[in-house]
Amino acid sequence: MTSPHLSERAQQEAAESTSLLPLAQATHLRGCPLCQSRVATYRHLLTAVAHQAHPTFAFDLSASVLAQLPRAKPGFPWVLAGVATLVLGVVISFLALFGSLLTPIFYSLSTGLGAGLLTVAGLFVAGQCLELLAQHRRQMRQLAFS
Ligand SMILES: [Zn+2]
């Protein structure tokens, strides 16, 4: 037993596996009760660390994060629907009151121009509706967590 005692690093390696040690240190370990005791202490420490429970927070982390996020699913846009209904009601009332005055004007215009105006108006409204729908879907996609 002429070789010096194992270093701290060698003791820790021996605690994991004695096959990690060079031959001279392994030979010393077999004959030295002090080094065997230290290696046993490291083995006990490694076992205790391996079986330690995972750390947990003293508070509910998920609930704290979710509380700071915007509401997951905004409801139907009732204000927008109300404004749209009001505007539609005004337009229908206008047409009901003054439609008889507008009819001769439309009859005097060429049918091609009227059809063109109606087509453009229809495409404009359809485009706006599609844009609103696409915007709503983008917002819903941003709020999806999975
Ligand atoms: Zn020793």
Side-chain angles (χ1 to χ4, degrees), residues 8 24 26 57 73 93 100 106 110 115 129 144:
E8 292 291 321
F57 293 106
K73 301 265 180 184
S93 301
S100 59
F106 281 112
S110 68
C129 289

Side-chain angles (χ1 to χ4, degrees), residues 19-134:
S19 65
L20 296 174
L21 292 177
L23 181 61
Q25 291 180 339
T27 303
H28 171 84
L29 181 61
R30 278 193 293 273
C32 178
L34 177 64
C35 287
Q36 289 173 2
S37 169
R38 290 178 177 168
V39 167
T41 301
Y42 274 117
R43 280 193 184 124
H44 180 71
L45 181 65
L46 290 175
T47 302
V49 168
H51 290 95
Q52 190 175 21
H54 292 287
T56 57
F57 293 106
F59 57 93
D60 189 358
L61 180 64
S62 298
S64 298
V65 170
L66 289 176
Q68 296 181 20
L69 293 178
R71 299 187 74 100
K73 301 265 180 184
F76 187 78
W78 290 108
V79 173
L80 184 63
V83 169
T85 304
L86 186 65
V87 168
L88 193 61
V90 168
V91 169
I92 289 174
S93 301
F94 180 80
L95 288 177
L97 290 175
F98 303 107
S100 59
L101 298 175
L102 294 176
T103 305
I105 296 172
F106 281 112
Y107 281 134
S108 66
L109 295 176
S110 68
T111 54
L113 179 61
L117 287 174
L118 282 178
T119 303
V120 168
L123 288 175
F124 179 75
V125 170
Q128 290 298 310
C129 289
L130 288 176
E131 177 58 30
L132 277 176
L133 186 63

